[in-house]
Amino acid sequence: MSNQQNQDRDLEGKIALVTGGTKGIGKAIANRLARAGAKVIVTARNSPVEADSDHHFIAADLSLPADVIKVAGQINELFGGVDILVNNMGANTYPGGGFGTLTDDDWDQAFQVNLLSSVRLDRALLPKMLQQKSGVIIHISSTSGQFPIWESTMAYSSAKAALNAYSKALADETGPQGVRVLTVSPGLTKTEAMEVFLKDLAKKSGITVDEMTQTLFERVGGVPLGRMAEPEETAELVNFLVSPKASYITGANYFIDGGNFPVVK
Ligand SMILES: NC(=O)c1ccc[n+]([C@@H]2O[C@H](COP(=O)([O-])OP(=O)(O)OC[C@H]3O[C@@H](n4cnc5c(N)ncnc54)[C@H](OP(=O)(O)O)[C@@H]3O)[C@@H](O)[C@H]2O)c1
């Protein structure tokens, strides 16, 4: 093994849970952490299409409190807890069109999926981390948390903004006990969820997906790097943040957005 490869195995012996680790950004993170030597557990509602990974899969709908308890119970029993928890699962599946189209149920779902699933999972898995006085929790948020688009992300953006605040508060609480907590906010990223989102918006607007993509770039204030992120690019950042190389970093929110936002963050 080359020196470079050796250096990259700095998660050897670590147990990592990646929620929503079967597709998109979560899948890229799961694969990256495994390459760095971690034993990786992934959750999703449906089994992964490709059965080619060594990840331990647990089927669960994490928007349901009972499923969070089931996942934490299985992990504590089989692995004795986790060292790394990546709360990646999240979704923007709520009707667009502004305040009048969102029902109480839509608002509730947005917060269950994008905030409370993480709050509950952290609560279930943190005690072991605190006991061992080490651990890292990542919350995958979104630039939408700071940049709501009323026509298409009102409930989602609100839930992600709440996640950002919660993540910082948790970092302040657990830092003195050796547990680091960070937020990662991706911008537009090429995943299945993004594909569905664009197709849906294009259909509603009566334009092509390419035209919709350009419109979205303009709507978010432009992306200087001129393209969407690949999930693997976000996975690299997460891999660094959970590694010992980031041992003095906690409580921060990292933007990985190709330079999006025409303001100083
Ligand atoms: N793509 C983007 O442009 C973008 C931008 C900013 C932030 N993000 C954030 O990045 C994260 C990942 O997004 P993505 O685009 O990679 O999504 P994705 O391609 O749709 O993948 C989502 C993953 O989460 C799982 N999942 C969805 N709902 C679930 C539930 N209720 N319980 C358990 N698992 C569930 C999915 O599997 P099942 O469907 O089988 O459950 C899948 O594994 C999300 O938090 C999203 O908000 C994405």
Side-chain angles (χ1 to χ4, degrees):
M1 196 179 274
S2 74
N3 210 17
Q4 175 64 44
Q5 280 170 321
N6 258 331
Q7 279 177 12
D8 205 27
R9 300 285 296 176
D10 49 12
L11 299 184
E12 204 80 64
K14 301 288 183 199
I15 309 284
L17 168 61
V18 182
T19 69
T22 58
K23 294 182 205 154
I25 296 171
K27 182 178 170 181
I29 295 171
N31 290 343
R32 184 65 188 87
L33 302 192
R35 274 214 320 280
K39 172 68 203 166
V40 177
I41 306 155
V42 295
T43 64
R45 291 165 300 181
N46 308 291
S47 307
V49 181
E50 301 158 40
D52 61 352
S53 74
D54 288 337
H55 311 325
H56 181 87
F57 172 71
I58 305 177
D61 180 346
L62 295 178
S63 66
L64 305 174
D67 277 23
V68 174
I69 291 168
K70 179 184 88 173
V71 167
Q74 277 192 28
I75 287 175
N76 284 333
E77 199 182 309
L78 289 172
F79 301 96
V82 295
D83 305 291
I84 296 162
L85 167 54
V86 183
N87 286 290
N88 161 76
M89 188 279 277
N92 178 27
T93 51
Y94 317 100
F99 78 95
T101 60
L102 291 163
T103 62
D104 274 3
D105 198 41
D106 295 325
W107 278 104
D108 184 50
Q109 266 303 305
F111 275 76
Q112 294 294 341
V113 169
N114 293 294
L115 172 72
L116 290 165
S117 56
S118 299
V119 170
R120 294 189 185 109
L121 199 53
D122 293 349
R123 194 164 56 208
L125 293 172
L126 248 168
K128 296 261 179 188
M129 289 185 178
L130 295 174
Q131 233 173 43
Q132 69 191 23
K133 294 188 170 40
S134 72
V136 191
I137 296 178
I138 304 282
H139 296 115
I140 302 293
S141 184
S142 168
T143 48
S144 297
Q146 253 126 328
F147 194 144
I149 301 178
W150 70 263
E151 310 93 296
S152 53
T153 70
M154 190 181 273
Y156 173 71
S157 292
S158 304
K160 290 292 195 184
L163 180 68
N164 296 347
Y166 158 71
S167 188
K168 170 64 178 150
L170 189 67
D172 291 350
E173 182 182 358
T174 62
Q177 296 157 86
V179 176
R180 298 189 292 116
V181 181
L182 289 140
T183 308
V184 170
S185 291
L188 306 175
T189 309
K190 263 200 241 165
T191 66
E192 278 178 41
M194 176 54 77
E195 228 174 88
V196 172
F197 180 68
L198 281 171
K199 272 191 192 149
D200 193 45
L201 280 182
K203 201 170 153 195
K204 280 183 189 144
S205 312
I207 56 178
T208 67
V209 170
D210 282 350
E211 286 164 342
M212 193 63 239
T213 308
Q214 275 321 307
T215 306
L216 189 59
F217 271 54
E218 284 159 25
R219 185 65 185 84
V220 300
V223 177
L225 289 187
R227 62 173 175 85
M228 290 196 194
E230 298 293 337
E232 289 71 20
E233 293 176 307
T234 305
E236 277 308 322
L237 173 61
V238 171
N239 182 57
F240 166 71
L241 290 174
V242 302
S243 78
K245 294 180 186 113
S247 53
Y248 196 59
I249 307 180
T250 194
N253 183 355
Y254 281 81
F255 289 81
I256 175 155
D257 61 2
N260 177 212
F261 280 175
V263 292
V264 178
K265 285 175 274 210

